[in-house]
Amino acid sequence: MVRFMVVLAFRSVVIVLRQSVDKLATMKGIEIVSMLFFSLPLLAFGSGEVYIVTVEGEPVVSYSGGVDGFSATAIDLMEEMDITSESVTSYALHLEKKHDALLDSLFEVGTYKKLYSYRHLVNGFAVHISPEQAEALSKAPGVKYVEKDMKIKKLTTHTPQFLGLPTGVWPTRGGFDRAGEDIVIGFVDSGIYPKHPSFSTHNTEPYGPLPRYRGKCEVDPETQRDFCNGKIIGAQHFAKAAIAAGAFNPAIDFPSPLDGDGHGSHTAAIAAGNNGIRVKMHGYEFGKASGMAPRARIAVYKVLYRLFGGYVSDVVAAIEQAVLDGVDILNLSVGPNSPPTTTKATFLNPFDAALLSAVRAGVFVAQAAGNGGPFPKTLVSFSPWITTVAAAIDDRRYKNNLTLGNGKILPGLGLSPSTHGNKSFNLVSANDVMLDLSLLKYNPLDCQRPELLNRHKVEGNILLCGYSFNFVSGTASIKKVSETAKSLGAAGFIVAVENAYPGAKFDPVPVDTPGILITDARKTKELIDYYNCSTTRDWAGRPISFDATASIADGLAPILHKSAPQVALFSSRGPDVKDFSFQDADVLKPDILAPGYLIWAAWAPNGTDEANYIGEGFAMVSGTSMAAPHIAGIAALIKQKNPHWSPSAIKSALMTTATTLDRGGRPILAQQYSETEIMTLVRATPFDYGSGAVNPKAALDPGLILDTTYEDYIRFLCSVPDVDPNEVRNITSSACNSTTGQPADLNSPSVTISHLEGTQTVKRTVTNVADTETYVITTRMSPEIALEASPPAMTVLPGASREITLTLTVRSVTGGYSFGEVLMKGDRGHRVRIPVVAMGFNS
């Protein structure tokens, strides 16, 4: 699950984001375009492309009136959108009719197919057309923006205890059987396996109706049963763009919310799976799994499929439907692999625009940061209204060791039992026990095909296998090595890594045969040297006797470390970028750090995403995909306690209470590559972990919050250097009243200035969500930049807001970023911390 890419689709999907089209086109304009009718052939699915286009007008969420016959539908954060109201339904229908009228005026029936109408968060539609038609569409009156669709892929137990939920958080919410009660988390992912015990209602108090949630439950076309049971409250799938592009195979991709991958079930269980579910594999128990908010409801919006991933236009449709249905939290493990190329600003694209409207509608959004680490500027989540989550290694590690007959002990990974009786057995290399040299078209050293190996030579011995690129590509797996060893009667197996392969990830895999993975090539050399020296061969190099011996230790029990959390090697790093040329943005990303390494959770038995877990009910996988649902679940707990808080207030509570220290009280470390490409540990910075590691207990009682409105986000977009105000209006339907100000002025729980000259002042407004408290304000900053805060102390009444002024001054220019913080310590015990990041330049 350390994959998280988005590639340009072969066949793209047009999202026409159209705002009120009362003045659709002049008759003259329509006549000109209609001349195209006879030159455009009928369009077959798979032969066209799909585009993202914006046009004039307001979607439901922001329509403030002005169209004759249609009253305003815009909402604020303190109210919910009533989709059944006459004003909403009539205006939404009005927009859809305008979409249809635009297409009918431009193209002949049969030459295009509209896939979706977007009316509530963005005003537009997805349509399958030819590139020539897209060119004509881009020139039509009122059309503002045209972009091809993109193809998407996913980013991809013990953590409730690690995060202190059972003792520090769940009791305050009525215990685990009430934690997250009546909060709906929407998962835009690969679907769900509804029969899994993590989503069962058999041993829980019945879930009552939740009238405010308006989502539907699709019916499984095979069983004719719907996917919902009260715990799962909604289940829908979106694949119109995939079908139009010719990528969808219903025999493989399941035209239903059923999870054919495993990823969606895993993320849903992390955030909201039932508490105390026994994790068993191969007869061994690996503890009990639980979601962060085990009583929360699950709403499924399937957009990811086995063979091809998914398409942005399907994702936008799913996001709009989720908000329309009434979800409280959205968990996203999808996103682009680079900034948009058709807009000047990273934040201005239909995907982020839909999420901005979702936030405006009161929905908190958690998105995985991406798995491009440890390299800088590899984030795939850019915008300040999104909570971007980095992945941490928690305190649980699975390690094992191999003891050789010469007394050397080699460390490795092996979630397996020890060799029988902890005894030593002879080693035999797969290369030395092949049955037929003519079968070398396969790689026998992978140990994937037992029929290639001589059972009589393997039986009772430890089978020595090699790690090839096939393990990286997914055509080979540790699970299959274990099955090969077991079928041949081996006493155990060793997989030894001799060479480094791009994309290789070394995770312990649960197996029922004694086994170990040696990941250090230097230790592999010691193993091979010992084996060769101990193996007698004839004049032709054929083995006569195998005298090398070894024993494999028991690797089933985890080892707990105080040096946790650590930032995982694969977790994408900042700084954030503001455009396709990768210029640094004045936004801190990622926002926060959460567990994302070796996470046990539910799996779909028919899931194909991880070769080592095919057919299993649980999987232990890694990725920022696993980190994001931790934050989504914790956000659900905050929302349960504070139902009227805005998404930015929840984000602020999470960030200002995060910690930069590990369990041992030392600064958090980040996995990184050394100059010799050896994994090492370095002191982490905000570009690794944002504000720090999540602290759920503190986040439920943050003391102060920094709230941000939709209008604040628009002002932020308008202040981005070199931004085109027309582009802001085209994408968001909101005009720039002024382009003055700085992006760092956004009232966010962090401060980032990528180009600081001389002195710059920024302000932050904090609001007290606790009792009256007096705060002392201090600052800490690297010596290259001076950081001052005013006032030095303040008393804030309940519900009151106070403004603080931060002044940053360049003292010396280093060519790199400086890091610091503003710390507000209250006399009632609250600690509110705002990370500060800046790079100084000569004036």
Side-chain angles (χ1 to χ4, degrees):
M1 231 72 55
V2 291
R3 303 191 304 273
F4 184 131
M5 306 182 302
V6 176
V7 294
L8 286 178
F10 239 23
R11 307 170 176 90
S12 304
V13 186
V14 181
I15 305 175
V16 182
L17 308 175
R18 178 166 184 81
Q19 319 199 330
S20 137
V21 265
D22 296 311
K23 298 180 180 178
L24 179 61
T26 63
M27 288 303 296
K28 181 178 179 181
I30 293 176
E31 289 170 359
I32 292 173
V33 182
S34 68
M35 294 171 62
L36 294 171
F37 278 175
F38 301 103
S39 63
L40 294 173
L42 293 178
L43 192 66
F45 269 1
S47 63
E49 301 185 51
V50 193
Y51 295 75
I52 298 178
V53 183
T54 64
V55 288
E56 296 174 356
E58 299 269 2
V60 169
V61 73
S62 58
Y63 171 60
S64 55
V67 179
D68 289 343
F70 300 97
S71 57
T73 58
I75 62 171
D76 60 40
L77 289 178
M78 297 305 293
E79 61 181 354
E80 294 184 1
M81 183 191 302
D82 182 4
I83 64 170
T84 63
S85 70
E86 172 63 24
S87 59
V88 169
T89 55
S90 61
Y91 183 66
L93 181 61
H94 164 74
L95 294 180
E96 185 166 1
K97 287 180 178 179
K98 291 296 185 180
H99 301 161
D100 295 337
L102 172 63
L103 288 170
D104 289 344
S105 71
L106 294 175
F107 309 124
E108 186 177 6
V109 174
T111 66
Y112 71 91
K113 182 174 178 61
K114 189 185 73 171
L115 305 177
Y116 299 105
S117 269
Y118 305 122
R119 303 161 298 169
H120 296 88
L121 301 186
V122 288
N123 179 16
F125 50 86
V127 60
H128 183 240
I129 54 177
S130 69
E132 293 79 12
Q133 288 172 302
E135 178 67 19
L137 182 61
S138 69
K139 297 176 180 178
V143 174
K144 300 187 294 187
Y145 178 85
V146 178
E147 181 183 353
K148 290 183 180 181
D149 195 9
M150 289 188 294
K151 194 175 179 182
I152 61 166
K153 291 186 179 179
K154 55 194 161 293
L155 299 184
T156 261
T157 59
H158 168 74
T159 47
Q161 286 75 24
F162 177 72
L163 295 172
L165 294 174
T167 58
V169 176
W170 289 346
T172 68
R173 311 277 21 97
F176 73 83
D177 54 350
R178 287 289 179 270
E181 184 80 67
D182 289 343
I183 301 298
V184 181
I185 306 177
F187 297 89
V188 180
D189 215 295
S190 67
I192 198 163
Y193 184 70
K195 297 179 182 178
H196 198 281
S198 289
F199 315 123
S200 171
T201 59
H202 294 314
N203 297 314
T204 64
E205 184 177 329
Y207 286 88
L210 194 61
R212 68 176 181 82
Y213 179 77
R214 300 168 291 269
K216 67 179 181 180
C217 281
E218 292 183 15
V219 174
D220 189 321
E222 293 187 5
T223 66
Q224 296 303 307
R225 295 181 178 178
D226 70 39
F227 283 79
C228 297
N229 60 3
K231 173 70 172 177
I232 303 172
I233 197 172
Q236 303 171 59
H237 82 288
F238 299 80
K240 290 181 179 179
I243 293 170
F248 191 86
N249 183 340
I252 297 174
D253 293 313
F254 301 139
S256 76
L258 182 64
D259 187 2
D261 181 286
H263 189 269
S265 301
H266 202 268
T267 56
I270 291 171
N274 290 330
N275 180 62
I277 303 302
R278 296 173 64 195
V279 179
K280 291 190 68 175
M281 284 184 67
H282 311 304
Y284 301 104
E285 186 169 322
F286 296 98
K288 293 182 178 180
S290 174
M292 302 297 102
R295 188 66 179 176
R297 312 290 186 105
I298 294 170
V300 177
Y301 301 88
K302 179 179 174 180
V303 299
L304 294 172
Y305 297 86
R306 281 178 169 179
L307 295 182
F308 57 87
Y311 289 81
V312 166
S313 57
D314 288 329
V315 173
V316 173
I319 292 170
E320 176 162 286
Q321 189 62 54
V323 175
L324 200 60
D325 290 344
V327 303
D328 300 294
I329 313 290
L330 262 182
N331 182 79
L332 293 170
S333 293
V334 297
N337 70 332
S338 67
T341 59
T342 53
T343 59
K344 289 184 179 179
T346 301
F347 323 108
L348 293 175
N349 64 81
F351 185 84
D352 282 33
L355 293 177
L356 176 57
S357 292
V359 168
R360 181 178 188 175
V363 178
F364 175 89
V365 180
Q367 185 179 19
N371 299 327
F375 308 107
K377 298 186 180 183
T378 50
L379 295 158
V380 294
S381 177
F382 311 110
S383 296
W385 47 87
I386 300 167
T387 301
T388 303
V389 189
I393 299 171
D394 64 20
D395 61 345
R396 183 193 57 194
R397 319 285 165 82
Y398 289 99
K399 296 184 178 181
N400 205 345
N401 60 72
L402 177 74
T403 302
L404 302 180
N406 61 7
K408 288 189 176 181
I409 299 177
L410 308 183
L413 301 174
L415 199 56
S416 77
S418 63
T419 44
H420 183 69
N422 291 315
K423 296 178 182 178
S424 293
F425 295 84
N426 292 94
L427 299 178
V428 295
S429 170
N431 275 340
D432 286 334
V433 294
M434 286 188 299
L435 284 173
D436 188 347
L437 291 176
S438 67
L439 296 175
L440 283 178
K441 62 179 179 179
Y442 302 111
N443 186 353
L445 199 57
D446 281 353
C447 298
Q448 301 296 293
R449 292 174 170 265
E451 67 271 18
L452 302 182
L453 306 178
N454 189 324
R455 178 183 178 89
H456 297 296
K457 292 184 178 181
V458 174
E459 190 171 14
N461 298 316
I462 294 177
L463 181 62
L464 176 57
C465 310
Y467 187 95
S468 70
F469 186 73
N470 292 335
F471 286 87
V472 181
S473 67
T475 57
S477 68
I478 300 295
K479 179 179 180 178
K480 187 61 180 177
V481 175
S482 174
E483 292 172 351
T484 296
K486 187 174 183 178
S487 69
L488 296 174
F493 69 88
I494 303 167
V495 177
V497 178
E498 291 187 79
N499 302 296
Y501 294 99
K505 57 167 184 165
F506 303 123
D507 292 343
V509 177
V511 292
D512 58 356
T513 303
I516 190 169
L517 171 66
I518 306 297
T519 61
D520 188 333
R522 295 168 298 182
K523 300 301 180 183
T524 293
K525 185 178 184 306
E526 293 181 28
L527 170 62
I528 293 174
D529 287 347
Y530 167 66
Y531 176 81
N532 287 335
C533 290
S534 304
T535 301
T536 306
R537 301 179 183 274
D538 64 14
W539 62 273
R542 293 184 293 260
I544 297 173
S545 65
F546 301 99
D547 298 319
T549 62
S551 64
I552 300 170
D554 187 335
L556 293 172
I559 302 170
L560 300 182
H561 287 253
K562 282 190 175 181
S563 58
Q566 295 175 354
V567 182
L569 185 71
F570 57 79
S571 186
S572 289
R573 309 299 211 264
D576 195 8
V577 296
K578 66 180 182 181
D579 54 31
F580 189 70
S581 63
F582 284 80
Q583 294 186 60
D584 294 6
D586 289 345
V587 175
L588 179 61
K589 291 289 177 176
D591 291 303
I592 199 161
L593 183 70
Y597 179 71
L598 301 183
I599 305 300
W600 277 112
W603 198 249
N606 53 5
T608 58
D609 186 54
E610 287 283 339
N612 288 313
Y613 295 99
I614 293 176
E616 304 293 350
F618 292 91
M620 182 178 62
V621 290
S622 303
T624 53
S625 287
M626 283 67 251
H630 280 88
I631 295 300
I634 296 167
L637 299 176
I638 299 174
K639 182 75 172 179
Q640 180 189 12
K641 181 182 179 183
N642 306 282
H644 298 298
W645 276 17
S646 69
S648 63
I650 296 173
K651 179 179 178 180
S652 172
L654 290 163
M655 290 183 64
T656 59
T657 58
T659 179
T660 59
L661 302 178
D662 66 17
R663 287 299 175 87
R666 297 176 294 271
I668 292 175
L669 301 177
Q671 293 185 339
Q672 185 58 264
Y673 283 131
S674 67
E675 293 181 0
T676 57
E677 297 189 359
I678 300 297
M679 199 279 287
T680 186
L681 292 171
V682 299
R683 183 166 178 169
T685 75
F687 290 148
D688 301 314
Y689 56 44
S691 58
V694 64
N695 181 344
K697 182 179 180 180
L700 260 71
D701 182 22
L704 302 174
I705 58 168
L706 292 87
D707 216 345
T708 312
T709 67
Y710 175 80
E711 290 71 23
D712 291 335
Y713 290 127
I714 297 300
R715 281 191 289 271
F716 160 81
L717 290 171
C718 295
S719 70
V720 173
D722 302 321
V723 74
D724 182 353
N726 291 325
E727 202 166 61
V728 175
R729 185 174 179 273
N730 291 347
I731 300 298
T732 67
S733 306
S734 298
C736 288
N737 295 323
S738 172
T739 55
T740 60
Q742 302 289 336
D745 293 335
L746 180 69
N747 197 49
S748 64
S750 62
V751 175
T752 301
I753 303 176
S754 60
H755 193 103
L756 175 64
E757 294 184 5
T759 297
Q760 183 171 333
T761 298
V762 298
K763 298 181 185 296
R764 290 293 184 267
T765 299
V766 297
T767 300
N768 188 4
V769 292
D771 295 329
T772 299
E773 193 162 4
T774 298
Y775 287 87
V776 174
I777 304 174
T778 58
T779 65
R780 180 186 60 82
M781 194 75 187
S782 302
E784 309 86 49
I785 292 177
L787 173 62
E788 298 178 353
S790 177
M794 61 184 181
T795 298
V796 193
L797 300 177
S801 297
R802 292 289 301 272
E803 186 177 83
I804 60 175
T805 300
L806 307 177
T807 304
L808 293 88
T809 303
V810 178
R811 285 175 170 166
S812 61
V813 176
T814 64
Y817 277 95
S818 300
F819 304 104
E821 65 181 19
V822 177
L823 180 61
M824 291 170 270
K825 296 178 67 174
D827 60 2
R828 290 181 175 270
H830 292 109
R831 292 170 57 91
V832 181
R833 193 177 57 83
I834 300 175
V836 179
V837 178
M839 183 188 293
F841 290 82
N842 291 317
S843 300

